[in-house]
């Protein structure tokens, strides 16, 4: 799942990921404020989580700042059963989503998806 301050960024990253995974892994995205400006809202994030939630889990990729905070709020709105398998992934947005998409379509667990995306933080250094 992709959360960005920009509707166009979120939609673009989701489009890239969807081309990789086709229908094998559900991809949701949310971005921008209701008025079309930059922003994000916990309710929209919650609804996006619900749209792709499965017992296997949901990986959330955020762009910066309040998208992470609002994602945390959205997770708190979930039932404890659902919340326990939702993770905010600390990885670069575009690269993280692409790496995670490949790992997920190959059958990787939520933990494996998270580890693969987190490796990007250590690449090159």
């Amino acid at each position: 799942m992709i959360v960005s301050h920009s509707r166009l960024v979120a939609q673009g990253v989701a489009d890239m990921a969807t081309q990789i995974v086709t229908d094998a892994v559900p991809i949701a995205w949310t971005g921008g404020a209701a008025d079309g400006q930059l922003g994000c809202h916990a309710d929209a994030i919650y609804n996006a989580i619900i749209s792709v939630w499965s017992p296997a889990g949901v990986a959330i990729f955020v762009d910066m700042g309040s998208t992470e905070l609002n994602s945390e709020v959205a997770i708190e709105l979930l039932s404890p059963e659902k919340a326990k398998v939702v993770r905010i992934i600390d990885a670069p947005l575009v690269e993280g989503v692409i790496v995670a998409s490949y790992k997920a379509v190959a059958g990787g667990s939520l933990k494996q998806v998270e580890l693969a995306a987190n490796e990007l933080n250590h690449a090159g250094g």
Side-chain angles (χ1 to χ4, degrees), residues 11 15-16 21-22 25-26 42 48 57-59 64-65 86 97 105-106 110 115:
Q11 187 175 21
D15 182 54
M16 289 175 67
V21 302
T22 61
V25 176
V58 177
M64 61 186 158
V86 177
V97 169
V105 82
L110 179 59
L115 289 171

Side-chain angles (χ1 to χ4, degrees), residues 29-123:
W29 61 271
T30 184
D35 63 2
Q37 299 298 310
L38 296 177
C40 66
H41 196 275
D43 288 341
I45 298 167
Y46 171 86
N47 290 331
I49 293 169
I50 293 299
S51 77
V52 294
W53 188 89
S54 83
V58 177
I60 301 175
F61 292 84
V62 299
D63 60 4
M64 61 186 158
S66 63
T67 55
E68 183 170 358
L69 176 63
N70 281 310
S71 294
E72 290 169 355
V73 170
I75 292 168
E76 290 175 6
L77 297 173
L78 296 167
S79 69
E81 174 189 309
K82 288 185 172 152
K84 71 181 177 183
V85 292
V86 177
R87 302 279 186 284
I88 300 171
I89 309 298
D90 180 23
L93 180 63
V94 176
E95 296 90 339
V97 169
I98 299 307
V99 166
S101 296
Y102 278 116
K103 183 58 92 173
V105 82
S109 68
L110 179 59
K111 185 65 175 172
Q112 291 169 325
V113 166
E114 184 175 14
L115 289 171
N118 285 338
E119 281 296 313
L120 294 168
N121 292 326
H122 307 292

